[in-house]
């Protein structure tokens, strides 16, 4: 058949493959602005225009575009390069963070803008919840997107040396809005092979045999890899600076499978279709084994042992009881503390599995490049990872490779939230590439993200708290059980962290904890925003609210009586962390924001008649970085054209660290951000960087950048003084030159002079920071909400968040981090739930079965920053990427308690659960039984 299609004013005649969708047809022709986010038309990241109409190209058959005109985000701008008005609006408002969803929002908005005022205008632009019902953003909380559509500008352009504290736009912003930002798979690799995984249908089984004969007969299949091809080395998929934080309980391909969805074999082929067919033809004989999905049952005597044969040598606490890690500690004597209490409250709280749902799925491409010295090839792994350096280290250890023969690089990462602090694809792709000496790609489907990646740890928290009649706490006791799933990646570390700051933020003379991280035959859990604190904070803040009510004390006053103050030690029964300090204190200001909001709030008037109205608060404290060291190296150099280059290892995935690093450098060198380029997330760039996790992008990598830039500024002044013969203190560094007592030497001239003098060391400087000492950040969240007693529907009438971020480096970006954290936490609070059946199999493996917050679900949150300056963070800054998440769930639950009189102890608080609880109370009252709370 003849085929003709116009894409962005270019004609193509290549016929699509049978059944091919328009998205893959376009991407195969280099239009990488068309993104893969969900595979099923749920997220909108693949939106394009066909004859001016927006369509989800993952659902649109490519053959239907024959004879039509297709426009992708790359085609919005004019042929001369002038941005489309919608692209300019999104750039001015910075209506994106990671940017992976941005093309979809741009194309949807542009189509509606084109219809405005025409006979096709149906008013959607005035009704954005309806306009964006087919688009999902996981990062922003949607306020910035709304501002972009409405034409609100947020970006500033400061003068030289005044970048810190200003709302600079992201350096990659122009590329994001034009679709030219290159994410992991937005590259063309000649000779690329595709890898697909055969996964286990059983929750626990031993592989008796694998027959690959029929799979290898599929045309295009190049190899089938099984446990016979994989190294015997045990490791953890979690990436930490110190690998000993996690149990070594994982093999690349194992002869025992421990959850439904675990990889069994890898098929490598010329196409994805051939690889998938190869997977279908692999014949596996299993010996099924007993399994357990409940962590309490997993710890009980006689339970199936999930990691039989392993032991303390791989750092599993108690193999025979399926305990990956545990911690026990006591300060004082809680029995004495409860004896002193006038009121004791005891309850059990439960939190669910939550998927990270980053729109860019896990995956990587491995290929070989010539070494610079011409002595052969080295392996390059391009990955969607938050930890390039740690991943390189792990790959080298697994396959016995020297580090100079492996390069790991992250392009722009399409969302992470902790989920990409994990090595889930790089190990198997590297195995295939080394075996075949060919480029190999593995890209997870959206379904694989649910059953083959990781989730947030489900927690069960039994908590008991006592207080005197005057509101002073006497004792806090917790028993915490974390379900780490089939593997212990992050399990002990999340469990340990969960009972740190959550305990330490409150004073009490008697504290006790028993915490367990437990193996079960379900999908593994991993790192997720908040790293265990969000789960335990839900319990702690709910109990504090309930205890205050039972004492008849205002919950704010009750907290103020018991929270730690400036300079106080942070006591937790798991032991004090010597490098953790309150280097700035804004918790009192956070609570004042809530008090002032309550004093002037009139949002109750927005509640429908007959609905129940309530308000609630919660707070949280978090360390500004992981314990045990988190390292970053940076290098700042003067280039031959008089501009500067920043090299830093940390990755950018919407966290905004790239912008902050440029702001820090511009301030130190008294220049403007447009005279700075930045290279990052590449093991070729600098010596080492632990990674973009643990809220370390600003306070660790930023500190290294500050030290490098400050050192370079000193070197440039020193060399300028020597070059001109002028006293050093008279040499003033400017945006483009150094003023040496009236003699102006351009930076370009200075570079030339340094090279001529053999003083290249004077025009570059390194910075290093080890992540210690650490400070703490504080957050408080407040909600006013209304509940329909007849249906359980909940409406958020007002949302206010107070954040102690120290010196706010970029108010626009920091506000976006807070809004995104609140939105993500609301999803976990209201409806997100990775469900598993009685075999541990995930039953919500698609966005349409796993509800993410959409535009209509997220209220606009009022964000307030406290006025503090941290004594440890760079230029007084503190982290603000994880912490906004933690107080949201308990604040919502406390507001719901205030409205309904019912204490909800399980997440998510879905509409049906709310209605059932209220109906149960109504029935109890009708029967004359005590209503209770």
């Amino acid at each position: 058949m003849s085929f003709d299609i116009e894409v962005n004013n270019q004609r193509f005649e290549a016929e699509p493959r049978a059944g091919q969708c328009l998205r893959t047809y376009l991407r195969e022709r280099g239009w990488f602005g068309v993104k893969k986010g969900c595979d099923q038309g749920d997220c909108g990241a693949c939106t394009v225009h066909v004859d001016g109409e927006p369509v989800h190209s993952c659902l649109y058959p490519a053959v239907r575009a024959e004879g039509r005109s297709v426009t992708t985000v790359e085609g919005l701008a004019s042929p001369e390069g002038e941005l489309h008005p919608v692209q300019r609006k999104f750039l001015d408002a910075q209506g994106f963070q990671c940017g992976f969803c941005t093309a979809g929002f741009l194309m949807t908005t542009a189509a509606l803008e084109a219809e405005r005022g025409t006979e096709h205008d149906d008013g959607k632009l005035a009704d954005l919840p309806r306009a964006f019902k087919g688009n999902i953003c996981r990062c922003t909380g949607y306020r910035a997107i709304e501002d972009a559509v409405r034409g609100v500008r947020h970006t500033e352009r400061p003068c030289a040396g005044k970048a810190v504290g200003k709302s600079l736009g992201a350096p990659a912003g122009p590329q994001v809005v034009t679709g030219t930002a290159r994410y992991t798979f937005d590259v063309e690799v000649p000779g690329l092979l595709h890898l697909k995984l055969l996964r286990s249908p059983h929750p626990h089984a031993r592989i008796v045999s694998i027959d690959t004969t029929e799979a290898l007969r599929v045309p295009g299949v190049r190899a089938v890899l099984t446990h016979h091809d994989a190294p015997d080395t045990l490791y953890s998929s979690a990436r930490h600076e110190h690998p000993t934080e996690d149990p070594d309980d994982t093999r690349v391909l194992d002869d025992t499978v421990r959850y439904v969805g675990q990889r069994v074999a890898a098929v490598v082929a010329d196409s994805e279709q051939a690889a998938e067919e190869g997977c279908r033809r692999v014949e596996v004989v299993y010996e099924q084994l007993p399994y357990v999905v409940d962590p309490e049952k997993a710890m009980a005597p006689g339970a199936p042992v999930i990691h039989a044969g392993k032991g303390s040598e791989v750092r599993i606490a108690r193999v025979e009881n399926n305990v990956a890690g545990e911690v026990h500690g006591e300060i004082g004597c809680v029995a004495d503390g409860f004896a002193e209490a006038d009121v004791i409250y005891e309850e059990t709280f439960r939190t669910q599995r939550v998927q990270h749902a980053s729109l860019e799925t896990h995956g990587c491409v491995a290929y070989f490049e010539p070494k610079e010295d011409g002595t052969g090839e080295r392996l390059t792994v391009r990955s969607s990872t938050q930890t390039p350096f740690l991943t390189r280290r792990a790959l080298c250890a697994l396959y016995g490779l020297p580090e100079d023969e492996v390069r790991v690089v992250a392009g722009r990462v399409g969302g992470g939230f902790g989920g990409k602090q994990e090595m889930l694809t790089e190990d198997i792709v590297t195995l295939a590439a080394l075996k075949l000496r060919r480029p190999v790609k593995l890209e997870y489907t959206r379904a694989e993200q649910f059953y083959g990646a990781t989730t947030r740890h489900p927690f069960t928290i039994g908590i008991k708290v006592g207080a005197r009649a005057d509101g002073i706490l006497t004792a806090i006791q917790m028993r915490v059980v974390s379900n780490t799933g089939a593997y212990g990646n992050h399990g002990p570390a999340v469990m340990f962290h969960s009972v740190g700051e959550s305990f330490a933020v409150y004073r009490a003379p008697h504290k006790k904890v028993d915490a367990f991280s437990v193996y079960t035959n379900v999908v593994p859990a991993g790192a997720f925003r908040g790293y265990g604190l969000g789960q335990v904070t839900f319990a702690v803040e709910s109990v504090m609210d309930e205890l205050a009510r039972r004492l008849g004390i205002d919950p704010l006053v009750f907290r103020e009586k018991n929270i730690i103050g400036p300079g106080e030690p942070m006591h937790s029964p798991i032991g004090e962390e010597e490098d953790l300090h309150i280097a700035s204190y804004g918790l009192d200001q956070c609570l004042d924001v809530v008090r002032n909001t309550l004093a002037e709030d009139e949002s109750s008037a927005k509640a429908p008649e007959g609905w129940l109205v309530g308000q609630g608060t919660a707070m949280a404290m978090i360390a500004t970085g992981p314990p045990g060291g988190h390292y970053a190296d940076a290098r700042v150099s003067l280039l031959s054209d008089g501009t500067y280059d920043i090299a830093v290892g940390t990755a950018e995935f919407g966290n905004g660290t790239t912008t902050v690093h440029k702001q820090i450098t511009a301030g130190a060198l008294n220049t403007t951000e447009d005279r700075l380029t930045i290279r990052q997330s590449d093991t070729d760039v600098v010596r080492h960087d632990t990674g973009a996790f643990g809220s370390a992008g600003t306070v660790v990598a930023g500190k290294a950048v500050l030290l490098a830039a400050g050192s370079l500024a000193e070197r440039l002044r020193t060399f300028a003084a020597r070059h001109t013969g002028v006293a050093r203190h008279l040499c003033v560094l400017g945006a483009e030159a150094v003023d040496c007592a009236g003699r102006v030497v351009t930076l370009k001239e200075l570079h030339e002079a340094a090279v001529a003098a053999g003083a290249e060391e004077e025009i570059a400087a390194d910075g290093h920071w080890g992540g210690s000492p650490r400070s703490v950040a504080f957050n408080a969240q407040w909600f006013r909400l209304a509940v329909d007693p007849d249906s359980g529907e909940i409406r958020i009438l007002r949302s206010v968040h107070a954040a102690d971020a120290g010196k706010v480096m970029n108010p626009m970006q920091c506000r976006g981090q807070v809004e995104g954290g609140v939105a993500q936490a609301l999803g976990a609070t209201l409806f997100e739930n990775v469900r598993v059946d009685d075999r541990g199999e995930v039953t919500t493996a698609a966005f349409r079965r796993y509800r993410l917050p959409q535009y209509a679900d997220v209220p606009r949150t009022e964000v307030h920053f406290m006025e503090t300056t941290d004594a440890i963070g760079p230029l007084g800054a503190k982290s603000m990427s994880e912490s906004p998440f933690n107080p949201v769930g308990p604040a919502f639950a406390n507001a719901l308690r205030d409205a309904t009189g019912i204490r909800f102890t399980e997440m998510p608080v879905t509409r049906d659960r709310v209605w059932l609880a209220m109906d149960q109370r109504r029935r109890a009252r009708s029967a004359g039984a005590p209503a209770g709370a």
Side-chain angles (χ1 to χ4, degrees), residues 309-355:
K310 300 172 185 173
S312 58
E313 71 277 4
V314 295
R315 298 180 302 282
I316 298 175
R318 285 188 283 133
V319 173
E320 68 280 7
N321 298 116
N322 295 313
V323 176
E326 59 188 322
V327 62
H328 307 276
E330 186 170 11
I331 298 171
C333 175
V334 291
D336 292 344
F338 290 125
E340 298 168 10
D342 295 304
V343 176
I344 295 173
Y345 180 66
E346 187 172 6
E347 187 56 89
T348 299
F349 294 83
R350 292 178 175 84
T351 65
Q352 80 281 28
R353 290 177 186 82
V354 178
Q355 232 293 320

Side-chain angles (χ1 to χ4, degrees), residues 149 152 418 569:
V149 176
V152 180

Side-chain angles (χ1 to χ4, degrees), residues 896-915:
L896 197 56
R897 164 68 169 88
D898 191 47
T900 65
I902 300 171
R903 173 58 61 187
F904 289 87
T905 61
E906 186 172 351
M907 291 286 182
V909 284
T910 54
R911 176 175 174 172
D912 58 333
R913 284 180 176 171
V914 173
W915 183 86

Side-chain angles (χ1 to χ4, degrees), residues 294-314:
D294 179 88
E296 293 288 357
K297 293 179 180 178
M299 287 192 287
V305 179
I306 296 173
H307 286 277
K310 300 172 185 173
S312 58
E313 71 277 4
V314 295

Side-chain angles (χ1 to χ4, degrees), residues 94 286 342 356 440 556 619 838:
Q94 293 288 285
Y286 297 94
D342 295 304
H356 304 80
V440 178
L556 281 179
M619 64 179 205
D838 57 5

Side-chain angles (χ1 to χ4, degrees), residues 154-178:
H154 294 298
T155 54
E156 301 178 80
R157 185 174 178 81
C159 57
K162 304 295 183 182
V164 170
K166 302 295 183 181
S167 293
L168 269 66
Q175 290 75 45
V176 168
V177 301
T178 55

Side-chain angles (χ1 to χ4, degrees), residues 211-242:
D211 187 346
T212 64
T213 306
E214 291 302 314
L216 289 168
R217 288 175 177 163
V218 174
V221 169
R222 302 288 179 167
V224 181
L225 306 176
T226 72
H227 62 271
H228 297 296
D229 303 290
D232 292 328
T233 306
L234 290 172
Y235 65 99
S236 172
S237 65
R239 303 271 53 82
H240 283 114
E241 179 61 39
H242 305 289

Side-chain angles (χ1 to χ4, degrees), residues 197 206-207 210 225-238 247-259 262-265 307 310 314 398-399 423-425 427-428 431 444 486-489 524:
L197 294 167
R206 185 174 294 111
I207 297 173
I210 299 183
L225 306 176
T226 72
H227 62 271
H228 297 296
D229 303 290
D232 292 328
T233 306
L234 290 172
Y235 65 99
S236 172
S237 65
D248 287 334
D249 55 12
T250 305
R251 278 187 68 192
V252 176
L253 290 167
D254 207 330
D255 58 358
T256 299
V257 291
R258 297 176 174 87
Y259 68 98
Q262 180 169 333
R263 57 196 188 191
V264 171
H307 286 277
K310 300 172 185 173
V314 295
L398 262 177
Y399 296 109
M423 186 172 69
L424 298 179
T425 61
D427 53 349
I428 189 69
L431 176 65
Y444 272 14
Y487 292 92
N489 47 301

